[in-house]
């Protein structure tokens, strides 16, 4: 789902709210989540999942074009862990995926 679709769904469900108000609220929530993660905080949304940061250590890599050895810088990356309710909902009528 993309952000504009989310805004549209909320507007249709709550007709008393303007699209601009809903868009501002969704943008504010995203900004708040982003700034929380940037400051190292863990985010947990009950029945959905949690987001935290994982640190990727510096490592040796190769430039694929030249084959030159390069040392990468350490990076912080977001990590999502699905909550139990989300996992259960995804597997209610689980159908094997085609390989």
């Amino acid at each position: 789902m993309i952000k504009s679709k989310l805004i549209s769904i909320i507007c249709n469900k709550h007709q008393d709210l303007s699209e601009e108000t809903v868009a501002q609220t969704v943008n504010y929530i995203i900004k708040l989540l982003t700034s929380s993660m940037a400051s190292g905080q863990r985010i947990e949304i009950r029945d959905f999942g949690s987001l935290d940061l994982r640190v990727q250590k510096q490592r040796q890599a190769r430039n694929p074009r030249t084959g030159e050895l390069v040392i990468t810088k350490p990076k912080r990356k977001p990590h999502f862990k699905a909550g139990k309710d989300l996992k259960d909902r995804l597997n209610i009528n689980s159908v094997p995926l085609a390989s």
Side-chain angles (χ1 to χ4, degrees), residues 4-5 8-9 16 25-26 29 33-34 37 48 52 61 63 65 88 99:
S4 60
K5 180 73 172 167
S8 175
I9 290 170
D16 55 324
T25 303
V26 169
I29 290 170
L33 293 173
T34 303
M37 291 222 32
F48 182 71
D52 61 358
N63 180 331
R65 187 175 300 168
D88 291 345
S99 48

Side-chain angles (χ1 to χ4, degrees), residues 37-51:
M37 291 222 32
S39 67
Q41 295 179 350
R42 181 176 185 269
I43 297 169
E44 181 178 333
I45 301 172
R46 298 278 179 191
D47 300 327
F48 182 71
S50 62
L51 283 161

Side-chain angles (χ1 to χ4, degrees), residues 10-27:
I10 294 171
C11 285
N12 289 337
K13 185 147 181 121
H14 299 280
Q15 307 246 336
D16 55 324
L17 299 174
S18 72
E19 185 171 344
E20 183 180 336
T21 301
V22 173
Q24 288 175 346
T25 303
V26 169
N27 288 330

Side-chain angles (χ1 to χ4, degrees), residues 3 8 16 25 33 37-39 44 50 54 59 63 66-67 74-75 79 82-84 86 88 90-91 93:
K3 185 167 58 169
S8 175
D16 55 324
T25 303
L33 293 173
M37 291 222 32
S39 67
E44 181 178 333
S50 62
R54 299 277 168 101
R59 61 186 178 85
N63 180 331
T66 64
K75 297 178 188 175
H79 178 262
K84 183 182 182 313
L86 176 60
D88 291 345
L90 292 175
N91 292 303
N93 297 319

